[in-house]
Amino acid sequence: MLQETQGQLATKETAYGTLEAEVLRLKAQTGDADTLAIIKRELSEQVTHIRKLEVTNREQAAELKHFKRLHKSVEVVEEEKRSLQRRLDAMAGLENELGEARIQRQRLEDERLSWSAYLQSQAGPDGQVEFDSPEALARTLTAERLQTATLVERLGGLEPELSEKDKAIQALGAEKSSLLEQVEKLKSTGSGPGNSKAQLRLERQRALAIKEAEYLRAQLKTYDSEDTTFQPENIDEGKVKRIQELEDMVDQYRQEVQTLHGELASRETVPAPEPSGTKRPRDESEDNERIGQLSRKNRKLQDELTGLQSSTKLLRKELSVAQERLTAAAQQSKTRILSLRSNPTSDFEAIKVETLNELRRENADLLAQLQNSGPIATVPLSTLEASQRAILDAQNALASEKKRNDRLMKVWGAKSAEFRQLVISLLGWDVVFMRDGKMRVSSFFYPSTGDDENSIVFDGERGTMKISGGPESAFAVKIGDQIKFWVKERGSIPCFLAALTLEFYEEANRDGTLRVDV
């Protein structure tokens, strides 16, 4: 019974403790009811604020996407602007290059005309032009210079030979005089036993002298023919006369030697026996003939070699000129000048030329009309056409300007509407720009109803603010406290507009008229 009683007592104590805890809990609940209500209200406000932030976040995300698209389009426009600016700068450089090219072309055209006039003035009697281009003239001049240098070189080689021949002729003259003296001695002494040897010696000398004279004469004829062929203008008449006199002297010498030989042959009674062991004299005529042929062949080959050398030099000169022209053409082909078929420069030039021609015709018609007698009652047709064309150009320019203004107005309207929507979505105020620097703003959360306009007009030039409806209107009375606190005391228009936005937002949220699809 004691144990049972003790167990019941423990159970009662446990129940008592539980009840006591429940009592304390209930006391705590009844005492913190106001705090719980405040917590619940704050939680609901936080939930509302979180929802509002989510809505704002969605709106700002949509606006961010829109702004990104606008930014991309602006970047594209700026890139196009930069490319057009680069093209404009390049066009200015091309205009300068075009002016320089025109000046150079005009200079080359003048030079070509001067060359053509000079070449035509040098035409032959039949009107045929020897050189059809300055290039042909330069080529011919180069060939003539090379030929002149070759002839001067050959002339320098012939002068020593001629001096040697003059010396040989002088030596022959001296030898002739010695032979004449010997002949005179032989004539005075008469025939004797030693005359046979002297006669043979004289005959040999005579034969040698005759052969040498013939050889020299052949060489002189060869030189004369060469001079006549290659240098007809450089023939020395005095030298020719002197050579002719020397040839006449040689002929006289030959005749005298033949006469003396006949006299000696008639005086000989017994032929002198030939000494034993003597050799037959060498026939030098064949050798002289062969030497002459070889010398003529050598001279001909030298002439051919000289001509080939001249032609080789000329061809090398033409090759160097062709290589320079090819290099210049290759360098020029690397640079390509691109131009539009209808570019502003060509259009402007065409318009300028056409206008100048029209003015010239109009001036000519006016002068003709003024020179005629009688009063001037009409104007020339060209003047009328020019005035009509000027009127048409003015009308076209006016239509183009009007179309441009219409497009600008459309673009400005679209951009202003976009700007207004942007300001409404960001700041909650509808902004309308007015004339004279004024601006009217109306709250998105407190719009105008009926005849009551709820707006504020700001004058930027005067720095004033005007409430719609006057200072006694319902809207002015409603925002009077905010004007007094933020504008008059604090002097802050942005804070004033922000305070009105918060107040109008709380009222719209409280009345349930707030639209979330901004």
Side-chain angles (χ1 to χ4, degrees), residues 356-372:
L356 183 61
N357 294 330
E358 291 177 357
L359 290 175
R360 286 176 178 174
R361 290 195 298 269
E362 182 178 357
N363 190 17
D365 294 337
L366 288 173
L367 287 176
Q369 187 174 4
L370 288 174
Q371 290 174 0
N372 294 329

Side-chain angles (χ1 to χ4, degrees), residues 1-11:
M1 291 176 63
L2 181 59
Q3 290 177 355
E4 291 176 359
T5 304
Q6 289 178 351
Q8 291 176 1
L9 182 60
T11 304

Side-chain angles (χ1 to χ4, degrees), residues 447-487:
S448 301
T449 56
D451 296 335
D452 297 333
E453 185 178 356
N454 302 326
S455 63
I456 304 172
V457 179
F458 293 95
D459 192 349
E461 295 180 356
R462 299 179 180 179
T464 59
M465 182 180 69
K466 183 179 179 182
I467 311 300
S468 62
E472 303 297 333
S473 63
F475 183 67
V477 173
K478 182 177 180 61
I479 64 176
D481 296 336
Q482 300 289 350
I483 293 174
K484 182 179 179 181
F485 182 77
W486 289 109
V487 178

Side-chain angles (χ1 to χ4, degrees), residues 84-97:
L84 291 174
Q85 186 67 32
R86 288 194 296 269
R87 290 178 62 184
L88 183 61
D89 297 337
M91 186 66 69
L94 288 176
E95 287 180 356
N96 296 330
E97 293 180 0

Side-chain angles (χ1 to χ4, degrees), residues 503-516:
E503 182 180 354
F504 294 156
Y505 173 77
E506 292 292 339
E507 292 180 0
N509 191 15
R510 214 171 29 248
D511 296 340
T513 59
L514 178 64
R515 292 180 298 174
V516 296

Side-chain angles (χ1 to χ4, degrees), residues 435-450:
R435 295 180 180 179
D436 300 331
K438 296 181 181 181
M439 180 178 64
R440 183 176 67 237
V441 296
S442 58
S443 178
F444 174 74
F445 302 107
Y446 195 76
S448 301
T449 56

